[in-house]
Amino acid sequence: MKKTIKILASFLLVLGMTSCEKDNYDAPDATLQGQIFDNEGNPFQTANGQGSMAIRIVEESYANGDPDVTVTPQNLNMRQDGSYINTKLFAGTYSVIPYQGAFYEDVEAAKVQLNSGSSTKVDFTVTPYLTLEWVKAPYIDEDGYLKASFKFKRNAKDGMTMPAPNECCMWISRTQYCGTEGDGNYTPGLRKITADEEGQEIELSSKIPIKYSMKYWVRIGANVNDTYKKYNFTDILTIDVKVK
């Protein structure tokens, strides 16, 4: 019995030492950040998180050239102004590319070396399917509805099929996070758009009159009939509403 206990204790000690050895890695502290620009050099407007696109990274150095080692890609979140940052990555060589967004998928991946304790900046330029422009900034009409208008332009890309316009929406939010997120009481439903409406003013209205005096964040997005149906956006405007 004593012999059995002694063997078991030795086994647990070895197991504990092995476990400590495997977990004895430095905490991830390499930073990857950057900005997505559109084809006109402006910040590419996106939804917060991964609602309209992501940055996909693959740590190529993890496999160390072994074809039998499978490396799982990671998707990094976006900010609403088209920037991104992640400060908790392991040092190594990565492939980085904009992923599943409302733009033509001819963007080349960048290969970058991330170093422990250092920050690496990687920017990309994409050609969006649609470019949106405010016509009338958000305003309150005489009946208390929040309204705004915009127009869109379709962007062509040599050698690639131009997808047809699909839908648009105006998101109304009580916080700064606006873009595929909005106050469900006020944000209207989706509106169909067609190629014939390119360059024309399109007016959108809140679902019901605005009830509360406060600041609102407003943004318009439109998508095309592609695989992902992600949105191209205007920037975000604010309006201070005083309800009578």
Side-chain angles (χ1 to χ4, degrees):
M1 182 66 178
K2 288 183 179 179
K3 187 175 181 181
T4 303
I5 293 173
K6 190 177 290 187
I7 292 172
L8 179 60
S10 300
F11 173 74
L12 291 174
L13 179 62
V14 171
L15 183 63
M17 290 175 65
T18 304
S19 177
C20 290
E21 231 175 79
K22 286 186 176 179
D23 293 338
N24 193 24
Y25 291 110
D26 291 334
D29 63 349
T31 295
L32 176 66
Q33 62 181 317
Q35 174 71 51
I36 311 300
F37 295 97
D38 66 18
N39 57 326
E40 297 177 352
N42 301 311
F44 182 67
Q45 300 294 309
T46 60
N48 207 45
Q50 298 178 30
S52 62
M53 67 165 288
I55 296 294
R56 170 154 283 195
I57 64 172
V58 179
E59 187 183 351
E60 296 183 348
S61 54
Y62 182 81
N64 198 27
D66 187 342
D68 296 325
V69 176
T70 301
V71 182
T72 303
Q74 301 178 61
N75 292 336
L76 307 185
N77 291 331
M78 300 298 302
R79 293 170 171 171
Q80 294 177 137
D81 63 354
S83 65
Y84 68 95
I85 184 170
N86 189 299
T87 62
K88 300 296 182 184
L89 296 172
F90 286 104
T93 303
Y94 289 79
S95 173
V96 184
I97 193 169
Y99 182 67
Q100 289 190 352
F103 47 79
Y104 290 96
E105 294 184 327
D106 62 337
V107 187
E108 291 187 9
K111 184 173 288 190
V112 298
Q113 175 66 41
L114 302 187
N115 298 313
S116 180
S118 297
S119 178
T120 301
K121 194 170 190 292
V122 182
D123 297 336
F124 291 94
T125 297
V126 300
T127 301
Y129 293 132
L130 304 172
T131 298
L132 277 61
E133 179 183 338
W134 291 103
V135 176
K136 291 179 184 173
Y139 67 97
I140 302 296
D141 73 4
E142 59 185 12
D143 296 317
Y145 286 86
L146 191 156
K147 293 187 175 182
S149 64
F150 79 106
K151 61 183 178 180
F152 70 86
K153 178 183 73 172
R154 302 172 72 194
N155 297 311
K157 189 77 175 177
D158 289 344
M160 306 195 77
T161 302
M162 183 187 295
N166 184 42
E167 295 170 327
C168 69
C169 184
M170 177 174 66
W171 287 275
I172 303 167
S173 176
R174 301 189 197 195
T175 74
Q176 61 183 315
Y177 301 108
C178 184
T180 68
E181 309 97 4
D183 188 323
N185 293 314
Y186 297 134
T187 296
L190 300 175
R191 179 197 185 280
K192 281 289 185 181
I193 54 175
T194 67
D196 293 336
E197 293 180 289
E198 181 178 1
Q200 298 181 14
E201 180 179 2
I202 299 173
E203 185 176 72
L204 301 173
S205 175
S206 60
K207 191 187 298 184
I208 60 173
I210 301 298
K211 294 181 178 180
Y212 304 107
S213 297
M214 61 182 298
K215 184 176 184 178
Y216 293 88
W217 286 257
V218 185
R219 192 182 217 184
I220 293 174
N223 64 16
V224 298
N225 193 23
D226 72 336
T227 302
Y228 308 120
K229 294 183 174 59
K230 299 294 181 68
Y231 286 90
N232 293 122
F233 294 100
T234 63
D235 57 353
I236 299 171
L237 298 183
T238 60
I239 179 172
D240 288 308
V241 177
K242 304 296 183 185
V243 177
K244 296 179 181 178

